[in-house]
Amino acid sequence: KESDIMIRGLGLFYRQTGVPLDIQLVRKRLHVAQTEQLIAEEGLTEQVTWSDEMSLTEVWAEFARCDIVIEQLADSAIGGAGLDAMAAGRPVIGNARREMFENYFGQPSPICQAQTANEVCAQLKRLVFSPTKREKMGMLGRRIVEENCSPRRAAQTCLERLQPVCAPDRSLTRQTST
């Protein structure tokens, strides 16, 4: 997930702006000790609160409480946590595959794109100092999730993709009334 990029970006933001952060991290996976060391090197130790792994309900409560979520800075796609943060109306900084949003959802990406520490810092400056921008990006993400990621929308997409395959078999269509 490239947590080192996130930590370095948070450190840059703090050193450049002097604005203290309330950084919430979860103790999980293999690299907690290295992450703690990097946090100390970046001068962020006093700004980090560590939590143990938590239930999904607890994660959602954290998203409701926070202002900005940083998720998936690796060369990957935004995962479930990013989508949940978007559903909560929170702006997400991440390394999204823009083409996923454009090709699949037919909309521009609501993700605040960042692949480097400098880009994380720039996105933080843009969002921290502009509550209006934060709200706008959060609501854009929420709208995209509501329109495209509901169980009803997933079922509709499946039916749309299956219809051309099943349509030629008229006997199947008549038997199932679909």
Side-chain angles (χ1 to χ4, degrees):
K1 293 187 178 184
E2 305 294 346
S3 296
D4 59 319
I5 294 170
M6 175 187 66
I7 300 302
R8 286 187 175 96
L10 292 165
L12 273 174
F13 174 83
Y14 179 62
R15 286 191 301 280
Q16 290 178 11
T17 67
V19 174
L21 301 165
D22 177 11
I23 304 165
Q24 303 292 315
L25 297 176
V26 178
R27 271 187 212 286
K28 64 184 254 183
R29 307 287 171 160
L30 304 173
H31 306 290
V32 172
Q34 293 96 325
T35 301
E36 288 176 319
Q37 182 179 346
L38 185 56
I39 288 167
E41 290 169 12
E42 291 292 327
L44 298 171
T45 302
E46 299 301 316
Q47 298 176 52
V48 175
T49 301
W50 285 95
S51 299
D52 292 325
E53 288 191 54
M54 54 185 83
S55 71
L56 190 53
T57 303
E58 291 168 316
V59 170
W60 291 337
E62 282 298 314
F63 289 153
R65 192 189 66 73
C66 75
D67 293 314
I68 300 166
V69 173
I70 301 176
E71 208 257 333
Q72 287 293 1
L73 295 169
D75 189 19
S76 183
I78 294 299
L83 292 173
D84 283 347
M86 290 166 53
R90 299 302 178 252
V92 175
I93 298 173
N95 184 14
R97 295 184 179 212
R98 293 174 190 250
E99 67 275 8
M100 179 184 90
F101 288 94
E102 292 166 3
N103 296 338
Y104 186 72
F105 299 138
Q107 300 178 37
S109 173
I111 305 300
C112 301
Q113 184 67 27
Q115 290 180 277
T116 67
N118 284 327
E119 290 171 341
V120 168
C121 179
Q123 292 291 3
L124 285 168
K125 286 178 181 177
R126 186 171 79 109
L127 295 169
V128 167
F129 296 121
S130 176
T132 303
K133 176 60 81 175
R134 232 179 15 249
E135 184 175 341
K136 179 182 175 189
M137 294 305 295
M139 290 301 103
L140 176 62
R142 181 178 173 99
R143 184 176 49 82
I144 287 176
V145 169
E146 285 176 343
E147 291 174 3
N148 299 287
C149 299
S150 70
R152 181 179 303 260
R153 179 65 183 134
Q156 181 182 3
T157 300
C158 287
L159 290 172
E160 288 169 1
R161 293 193 177 166
L162 288 171
Q163 188 175 19
V165 176
C166 296
D169 188 349
R170 300 276 181 223
S171 64
L172 177 63
T173 303
R174 281 190 295 275
Q175 289 174 356
T176 61
S177 299
T178 57

